[in-house]
């Protein structure tokens, strides 16, 4: 009965309402998708350099947010200082994780490494809970909370930050991997580790660097999303999983395909919740992932056996 | 003959003495709280409140001259552990009554034990199932969800709001609220235009709200615990939705206003227990004095703000001590005493139990409040 009235109202208000509604779903989806993309790129960078799926990736997202809060509230830093400090501290945590957990492993089989990263993620989450408690915390927006209206849909200034920073991060990444010596060295490791080490590339240094870059990217994602979604010790799990989906859709590429994967996932979720049913929102995203794994295991955009970086 | 009489008298005297010695003895009260684990935010204030009240009661000479002894165990929020510890309380510690457990899941698991051993228990869990249908030995202090739902719908009826959009969280709390909302809305002649849900960890609900906005209901009711409702509150502001937004009693804490931000939370209406607004109550309110004392005592003892969750343990203790005062200290006397509690003033409300109603709270347990300038204000 209720539904009937809702539909008739929709007809009355006509197409403009429909359009602004869909635009809203699209914008909401893109901004959430951008976060998935950043996390997904973090996954692929480590995967390409080491062959490890780093399931602790989500925890660095949490660390970014929680550390920003720590520098803001405990040490009373201004926001512009708290953010770089939080990124630096998360990066340090990423390097430490690689040094203390990944590198000492005697027999680094994939299964051992995967279990290790899962263990690491539980450890990091537990430590965060002990240090900062279980409460959810809010972080102030970078530039106000006044909504911006675009063709009947509204977004917040923070959404623009998210889209802008994601674009910046992806371009810097692209530049790094294509134009710099260490970026090229890392790509070489991805093609063939033994060959890379034979031509004098320090593979272990590259592995550490990949952890540093991806934890920094995770932290950035956590920081820019925190003013919208708030942060608690346990936000890493779900975000990490969605980021992983983005990377799978993108065929574990650390460039544009993973970014597209993240955006597609975000938009699908948002459209699914708005147009189909909010109860199946996550299911829709994960069904797409499953279908993709069955039909195109090399990723939505990849050719079989293509280059990965 | 005379000797016999003297014998009888002395015998009686001895018995009487024994009796009073028993009366002046101690009554053991078992406490089961989820002090650690995911429900610690519920269990920890409960345990602290219980310890505080037992200490105060003993300092004042106990109840009817009988000292109280608290035996407290931490269940970690685990139902299996709760059952083991309840059995231990009954068999080893020989307690007369159990205060707890903290959560609905644990309570449901412990109920068969309490029923079998005929030891009264007062659960601090909110689930309706705990006391509906009423069980012989089982009571609970948090008000049932449908009381909060009725309070909101009653308020909306006064404002001539007829059509509702629901936005509920997909966990136990949200599912129970959704069920009650749909049932009572139908009974009271409201129309539900949208029935949307969100996940407990979701971080963006603009999609659901955009859909709701296009349907144009008179009011939106959101049912969840932090942080979801805070995200929704911000999303509503972002989308420029002017429809009145109602929240459940699940977010009736300052934490919610802090998370959502005072600006976004402005004008949100919700039902809350009177503890949150104790300093706004009129002097004539029967709970005003007790609430103020509780807040002060709790702060003095722990330097923390007293919470509704600690209040549930307060209520349970009040019911137990009242039962001991009026009846006596055996499990059956305490059980009967709790069941006969009438107009007993406590933190969550004013309890009037009956054999059919083992919760004992009605609509007066809640007040409707509106958030104004980041503070609670009574909604009229």
């Amino acid at each position: 009965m209720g539904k009937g009235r809702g539909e008739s109202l929709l007809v009355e208000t006509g197409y403009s309402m429909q359009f602004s509604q869909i635009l809203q779903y699209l914008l909401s989806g893109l901004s959430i998708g951008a976060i998935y993309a950043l996390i997904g790129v973090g996954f692929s960078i480590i995967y390409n350099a080491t062959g490890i799926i780093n399931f602790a990736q989500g925890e660095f997202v949490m660390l970014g947010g929680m550390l920003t809060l720590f520098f803001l509230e405990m040490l009373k830093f201004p926001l512009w200082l708290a953010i770089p400090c939080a990124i630096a501290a998360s990066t340090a945590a990423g390097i430490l994780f690689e040094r203390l957990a990944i590198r000492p492993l005697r027999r680094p089989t994939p299964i051992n490494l995967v279990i290790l990263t899962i263990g690491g993620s539980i450890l990091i989450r537990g430590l965060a809970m002990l240090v900062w408690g279980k409460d959810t915390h809010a972080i102030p927006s970078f530039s106000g909370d006044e909504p911006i209206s675009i063709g009947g849909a509204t977004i917040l200034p923070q959404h623009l930050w998210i889209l802008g920073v994601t674009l910046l991060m992806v371009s810097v990444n692209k530049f790094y991997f294509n134009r710099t010596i260490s970026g090229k060295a890392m790509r070489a490791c991805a093609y063939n580790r033994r060959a890379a080490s034979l031509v004098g590339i320090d593979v272990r240094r590259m592995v550490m660097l990949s952890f540093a870059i991806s934890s920094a990217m995770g932290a950035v994602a956590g920081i820019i999303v925190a003013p919208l979604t708030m942060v608690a010790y346990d936000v890493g799990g779900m975000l990490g999983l969605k980021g992983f989906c983005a990377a799978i859709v993108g065929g574990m590429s650390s460039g544009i395909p993973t970014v597209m994967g993240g955006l597609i996932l975000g938009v699908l979720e948002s459209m699914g919740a708005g147009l189909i049913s909010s109860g199946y929102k996550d299911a829709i995203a994960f069904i797409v992932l499953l279908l993709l794994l069955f039909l195109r295991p090399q990723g939505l955009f990849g050719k079989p056996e293509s280059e990965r970086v | 003959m005379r000797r016999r009489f003297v014998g009888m008298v002395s015998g009686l005297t001895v018995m009487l003495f024994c009796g009073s010695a028993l009366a002046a003895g101690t009554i053991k009260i078992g406490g089961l709280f989820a002090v650690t684990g995911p429900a610690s935010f519920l269990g920890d204030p409960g345990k602290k409140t219980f310890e505080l009240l037992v200490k105060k009661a003993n300092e004042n000479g106990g109840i009817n001259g009988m000292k109280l002894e608290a035996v407290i165990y931490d269940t970690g929020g685990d139902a299996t552990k709760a059952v083991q510890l309840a059995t231990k309380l009954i068999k080893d510690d020989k307690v007369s009554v159990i205060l707890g457990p903290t959560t609905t899941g644990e309570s449901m698991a412990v109920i068969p034990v309490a029923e079998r051993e005929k030891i009264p228990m007062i659960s601090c869990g909110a689930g309706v199932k705990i006391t509906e249908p009423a069980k012989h030995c089982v009571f609970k202090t948090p008000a049932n969800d449908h009381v909060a739902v009725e309070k909101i719908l009653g308020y909306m009826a006064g404002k001539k709001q007829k059509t509702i959009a629901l936005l509920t969280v997909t966990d136990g709390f949200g599912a129970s609220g959704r069920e009650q909302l749909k049932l009572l809305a139908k009974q009271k002649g409201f129309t539900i235009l949208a029935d949307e849900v969100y996940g407990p960890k979701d971080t963006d609900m603009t999609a659901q709200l955009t859909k709701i906005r296009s349907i144009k209901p008179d009011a939106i009711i959101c049912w969840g615990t932090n942080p979801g409702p805070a995200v929704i509150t911000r999303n509503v502001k972002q989308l420029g939705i002017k429809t009145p937004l109602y929240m459940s009693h699940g977010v009736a804490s300052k934490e919610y206003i802090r998370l959502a931000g005072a600006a976004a939370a402005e004008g949100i209406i919700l039902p809350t227990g009177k503890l949150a607004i104790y300093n706004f109550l009129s002097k004539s309110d029967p709970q005003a004095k007790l609430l103020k004392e509780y807040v002060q005592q709790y702060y003095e003892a722990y330097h923390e703000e007293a919470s509704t969750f600690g209040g549930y343990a307060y209520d349970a203790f009040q019911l137990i001590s009242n039962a001991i005062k009026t009846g006596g200290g055996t499990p059956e006397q305490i059980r009967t005493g709790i069941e006969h509690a009438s107009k007993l003033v406590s933190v969550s409300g004013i309890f009037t139990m009956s054999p059919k109603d083992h919760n004992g709270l009605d609509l007066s347990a809640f007040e409707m409040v509106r958030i104004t300038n980041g503070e609670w204000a009574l909604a009229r």
Side-chain angles (χ1 to χ4, degrees), chain B residues 5-27:
Chain B
F5 180 70
V6 171
M8 263 173 74
V9 168
S10 53
L12 271 172
T13 325
V14 169
M15 273 168 73
L16 271 173
F17 265 104
C18 283
S20 66
L22 264 179
T26 51
I27 295 181

Side-chain angles (χ1 to χ4, degrees), chain B residues 250-268:
Chain B
V251 295
S253 66
K254 281 287 168 63
E255 172 85 359
Y256 162 68
I257 304 180
R258 200 171 55 75
L259 284 178
E266 182 76 22
I268 305 285

Side-chain angles (χ1 to χ4, degrees), chain B residues 194-256:
Chain B
D195 177 15
E196 298 294 326
V197 294
Y198 66 92
K201 293 272 156 220
D202 282 4
T203 51
D204 181 275
M205 282 63 129
T206 47
Q208 289 95 321
L209 287 166
T210 303
K211 196 171 169 187
I212 289 173
R213 182 176 63 179
S214 72
I215 296 169
K216 296 194 175 130
D218 292 340
I220 304 168
I221 303 179
C222 166
W223 213 266
T225 46
N226 286 325
V231 175
I232 288 168
T233 310
R234 288 166 169 223
N235 289 164
V236 163
K237 174 95 193 304
Q238 179 206 330
L239 294 172
I241 296 175
K242 299 277 180 262
T243 314
L245 175 60
Y246 292 87
M247 286 286 164
S248 74
H249 54 303
V251 295
S253 66
K254 281 287 168 63
E255 172 85 359
Y256 162 68

Side-chain angles (χ1 to χ4, degrees), chain A residues 15-38:
Chain A
Y15 272 117
S16 69
M17 196 59 182
Q18 279 282 34
F19 173 74
S20 73
Q21 218 174 316
I22 290 188
L23 188 65
Q24 184 69 53
Y25 298 145
L26 190 70
L27 288 175
S28 297
L30 284 179
S31 49
I32 281 294
I35 295 297
Y36 299 162
L38 272 186

Side-chain angles (χ1 to χ4, degrees), chain A residues 187-202:
Chain A
R187 281 170 68 204
C189 293
Y191 282 122
N192 191 326
R193 287 178 77 148
R194 179 168 290 176
S197 76
L198 283 176
V199 296
I201 295 169
D202 185 349

Side-chain angles (χ1 to χ4, degrees), chain A residues 121-264:
Chain A
S121 94
I122 295 171
L123 177 75
I124 295 172
R125 197 180 307 169
L127 286 177
M129 189 189 83
L130 287 177
V131 175
W132 293 305
K134 290 179 197 144
D135 289 343
T136 307
H137 302 275
I139 287 178
S141 301
F142 298 175
S143 39
D145 286 318
E146 216 38 60
I148 304 165
S149 180
I150 303 173
T154 43
I155 56 170
L156 293 173
Q158 194 65 32
H159 288 120
L160 296 180
W161 276 103
I162 291 176
L163 294 171
V165 169
T166 305
L167 203 69
L168 183 76
M169 294 292 286
V170 172
S171 335
V172 168
N173 233 350
K174 187 102 188 144
F175 177 82
Y176 172 76
F177 280 114
N178 287 335
R179 298 292 157 86
T180 64
I181 289 289
S182 72
K184 285 177 180 168
M186 206 178 279
R187 281 170 68 204
C189 293
Y191 282 122
N192 191 326
R193 287 178 77 148
R194 179 168 290 176
S197 76
L198 283 176
V199 296
I201 295 169
D202 185 349
V203 175
R204 290 169 80 177
R205 213 181 115 243
M206 286 300 134
V207 169
M208 198 181 81
L209 204 57
S210 75
F211 268 84
I213 295 173
S214 70
S215 54
M217 286 189 76
V220 168
I223 292 167
I224 56 177
V225 79
L228 287 180
T229 64
M230 289 169 269
V231 61
Y233 77 98
D234 60 350
V235 296
M238 200 58 181
L239 281 174
L241 205 57
K242 297 277 174 67
F244 179 57
C245 288
I248 293 283
V249 174
M252 292 315 261
S253 135
S254 53
I256 303 300
T258 294
V259 174
M260 291 303 290
L263 295 179
I264 289 171

